[in-house]
């Protein structure tokens, strides 16, 4: 998405004959979004990308809703979600609305036995624990602790883990995921006041190209259903591509915090934008330096958005009893703020080591049955004076 990129071999001009060294022509595919108006790339395949051989079973992945109208602030214990060997089996959806699904996963094994495509949603994977390589039809991206991986809808991928103790926080977004518009100039370039820039992007490299035919299983997620489809050619058969629509990564550790003399509002932490929610990165930073500054945030009412915070590392100065992998939900309609004692505790502090990912949704979230299993059930009362 972020900048023009190309990998492998492509012809000198689009939509012209591109001959294989062994004879015959490569097969061009436009890989785009929003009709022909959104970002797109042109891919050159060894084989036609349309060769469906068989359609096997379809399995519902629709989340089972436990609470559809939520007013309670909640704390979910993310690390209480059990690990699973398979990448897709390990993904547990916790909070949903018509715009996005939010969840966590603890996959233990690399995904190598089939290919996966989410046809409905851009996926944002945040790597909390583990290292490995995202392998896609448009190239590979090595990942490590702190990486966001943005995988546009329709991307066929597998994922390799070097480790077995892996923890991911993920968002499936039914709206395209972009960088914040206010940080981009008319030409799309990140401007000087942005907290990150193009040099920070992890672009796909190492294009894997397999000129193979046979039986290749792709599990395609579409309309809350996982369809198993067998293709007759290897899904990673792209000899080259160029364009703007491709998977990319960004390390939260490369987010340069914007600070001030008095408390800066959450938008300074914004990292990603969609039409229906934003994603913010809370990173280690110096605190406010006004002599009477209060580093802890003020109480705030998200009247029209739900706020999800995924706690990654460090100290969480505005909260009591918060640990790695915890997920707080502060629903719209009621105010929230520092826990008792946290405001006073923050005064005089000069820096924070907190690391957290926030997702603010513009429409209310529903909670799944899986979420209720890891809900501590008492967080909503945690602001009472003792
Ligand atoms: Fe908040």
């Amino acid at each position: 998405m972020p900048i023009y990129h190309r990998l492998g071999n492509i012809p000198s001009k689009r939509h012209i004959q591109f001959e294989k060294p062994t004879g015959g022509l490569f097969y061009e595919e436009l890989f785009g979004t929003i009709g022909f108006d959104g970002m797109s790339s042109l891919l050159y395949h060894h084989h036609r990308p349309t060769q469906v051989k068989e359609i096997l079973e379809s399995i519902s992945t629709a989340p089972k809703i436990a609470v559809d109208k939520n007013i309670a602030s909640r704390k979910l214990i993310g690390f209480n979600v059990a690990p699973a060997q398979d990448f897709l089996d390990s993904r547990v959806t916790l909070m949903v609305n018509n715009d996005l699904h939010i969840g966590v996963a603890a996959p233990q094994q690399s995904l190598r036995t089939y290919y996966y495509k989410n046809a409905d949603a851009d996926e944002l994977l945040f790597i909390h624990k583990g290292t490995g390589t995202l392998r896609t039809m448009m190239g590979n991206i090595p990942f490590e602790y702190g990486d966001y991986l943005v995988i546009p809808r329709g991307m066929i991928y597998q994922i390799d883990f070097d480790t077995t103790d892996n923890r991911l926080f993920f968002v499936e977004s039914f709206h395209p995921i972009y960088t914040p518009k206010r940080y981009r100039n008319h030409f799309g370039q990140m401007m000087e006041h942005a907290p990150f820039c193009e040099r920070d992007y992890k672009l796909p490299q190492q294009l894997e190209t397999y000129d193979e035919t046979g039986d290749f299983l792709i599990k395609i997620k579409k309309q809350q259903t996982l369809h198993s489809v067998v293709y007759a050619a290897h899904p990673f058969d792209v000899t080259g591509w160029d364009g703007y629509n491709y998977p990319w990564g960004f390390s939260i550790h490369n987010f340069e915090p914007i600070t001030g003399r008095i408390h800066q509002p959450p938008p300074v932490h914004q990292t990603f934008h969609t039409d229906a929610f934003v994603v913010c990165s809370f990173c280690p930073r110096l605190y406010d330096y006004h002599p009477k500054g209060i580093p802890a945030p003020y109480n705030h009412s998200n009247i029209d958005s739900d706020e999800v915070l995924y706690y990654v590392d460090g100290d969480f100065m505005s909260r009591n009893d918060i640990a790695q992998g915890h997920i707080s939900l502060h629903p719209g309609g009621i105010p929230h703020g520092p826990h008792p004692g946290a405001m006073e505790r923050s005064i005089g502090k000069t820096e924070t080591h907190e690391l957290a990912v926030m997702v603010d949704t513009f429409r209310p979230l529903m909670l799944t049955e899986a979420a209720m299993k890891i809900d501590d059930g008492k967080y909503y009362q945690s602001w009472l004076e003792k």
Side-chain angles (χ1 to χ4, degrees):
M1 167 264 156
I3 52 178
Y4 174 80
H5 188 46
R6 60 185 280 178
L7 279 180
N9 303 311
I10 56 175
S12 60
K13 197 170 182 63
R14 58 187 174 178
H15 316 322
I16 62 170
Q17 295 172 28
F18 182 25
E19 290 171 355
K20 296 178 182 175
T22 52
L25 298 176
F26 285 107
Y27 299 89
E28 185 180 49
E29 176 195 6
L30 179 83
F31 181 73
T33 57
I34 319 179
F36 288 83
D37 283 349
M39 288 179 296
S40 66
S41 295
L42 283 169
L43 283 60
Y44 297 88
H45 295 272
H46 275 276
H47 301 275
R48 280 190 302 279
T50 47
Q51 296 185 70
V52 173
K53 211 165 175 179
E54 271 187 282
I55 298 175
L56 306 176
E57 77 275 9
S58 299
I59 298 167
S60 173
T61 58
K64 296 190 174 76
I65 304 302
V67 180
D68 64 344
K69 294 181 175 65
N70 179 56
I71 193 66
S73 294
R74 295 177 186 276
K75 183 171 76 175
L76 311 180
I77 316 299
F79 282 4
N80 280 0
V81 164
Q85 294 187 343
D86 178 75
F87 175 65
L88 291 186
D89 288 346
S90 76
R91 289 163 62 143
V92 175
T93 302
L94 300 172
M95 289 168 269
V96 304
N97 64 22
N98 287 335
D99 301 313
L100 78 167
H101 289 182
I102 298 172
V104 293
Q108 294 171 306
Q109 286 185 354
S110 299
L111 170 52
R112 280 277 180 168
T113 52
Y114 58 90
Y115 299 83
Y116 170 58
K117 174 202 283 199
N118 192 330
D120 282 334
D122 285 16
E123 294 192 349
L124 180 69
L125 308 182
F126 177 78
I127 310 297
H128 191 171
K129 283 188 177 185
T131 63
T133 304
L134 177 71
R135 300 171 56 242
T136 82
M137 65 176 180
M138 297 178 74
N140 296 344
I141 305 173
F143 60 80
E144 59 189 350
Y145 163 55
D147 281 349
Y148 291 104
L149 298 171
V150 183
I151 307 169
R153 65 203 59 198
M155 180 59 45
I156 301 171
Y157 74 87
Q158 294 187 321
I159 191 162
D160 275 2
F161 293 101
D162 311 322
T163 42
T164 52
D165 181 18
N166 306 300
R167 289 279 172 183
L168 314 180
F169 173 72
F170 70 83
V171 176
E172 293 179 39
S173 171
F174 305 113
H175 303 260
I177 297 173
Y178 301 132
T179 52
K181 194 168 189 313
R182 68 179 181 281
Y183 292 140
R184 282 183 273 121
N185 67 17
H186 175 69
F187 305 97
Q189 183 178 11
M190 297 302 278
M191 291 189 282
E192 283 294 312
H193 67 292
F196 53 91
C197 78
E198 288 83 353
R199 282 187 207 180
D200 299 318
Y201 298 157
K202 296 189 174 190
L203 303 180
Q205 305 292 345
Q206 301 163 327
L207 188 61
E208 290 187 43
T209 307
Y210 301 97
D211 178 6
E212 292 175 18
T213 55
D215 293 327
F216 298 91
L217 176 62
I218 305 182
K219 295 191 179 182
I220 302 173
K221 195 168 190 181
K222 185 174 164 70
Q223 295 178 291
Q224 322 274 10
T225 304
L226 196 63
H227 303 280
S228 289
V229 180
V230 179
Y231 275 77
H234 199 296
F236 295 173
D237 76 335
V238 174
T239 192
W241 63 267
D242 76 334
Y244 285 76
N245 193 25
Y246 55 82
W248 60 289
F250 171 71
S251 171
I252 196 169
H253 305 304
N254 279 327
F255 188 93
E256 297 301 330
I258 296 168
T259 60
R261 237 162 74 91
I262 57 172
H263 195 82
Q264 298 296 296
V268 300
H269 306 282
Q270 191 184 349
T271 313
F272 300 106
H273 167 88
T274 76
D275 289 342
F277 66 92
V278 298
V279 178
C280 297
S281 303
F282 287 82
C283 297
R285 63 193 180 279
L286 294 180
Y287 272 144
D288 324 322
Y289 43 89
H290 187 285
K292 292 265 184 189
I294 300 176
Y298 34 81
N299 297 298
H300 46 285
S301 290
N302 347 350
I303 289 298
D304 49 11
S305 60
D306 277 18
E307 176 193 290
V308 174
L309 257 174
Y310 180 80
Y311 300 93
V312 182
D313 204 356
D315 53 340
F316 303 106
M317 50 82 185
S318 63
R319 314 252 180 264
N320 303 334
D321 193 26
I322 286 284
Q324 282 189 17
H326 286 188
I327 306 166
S328 63
L329 168 63
H330 300 130
I334 57 173
H336 66 275
H339 280 137
M343 179 183 73
E344 296 80 359
R345 210 161 59 220
S346 76
I347 292 172
K349 296 262 173 67
T350 56
E351 62 180 341
T352 175
H353 298 288
E354 71 177 359
L355 193 65
V357 174
M358 184 171 79
V359 181
D360 265 13
T361 69
F362 306 153
R363 289 195 273 193
L365 289 164
M366 299 180 282
L367 291 116
T368 64
E369 292 176 3
M372 300 316 291
K373 287 183 187 156
I374 57 168
D375 180 10
D376 90 333
K378 56 186 183 186
Y379 179 72
Y380 71 98
Q381 295 174 319
S382 60
W383 287 271
L384 289 172
E385 306 274 353
K386 293 255 164 68

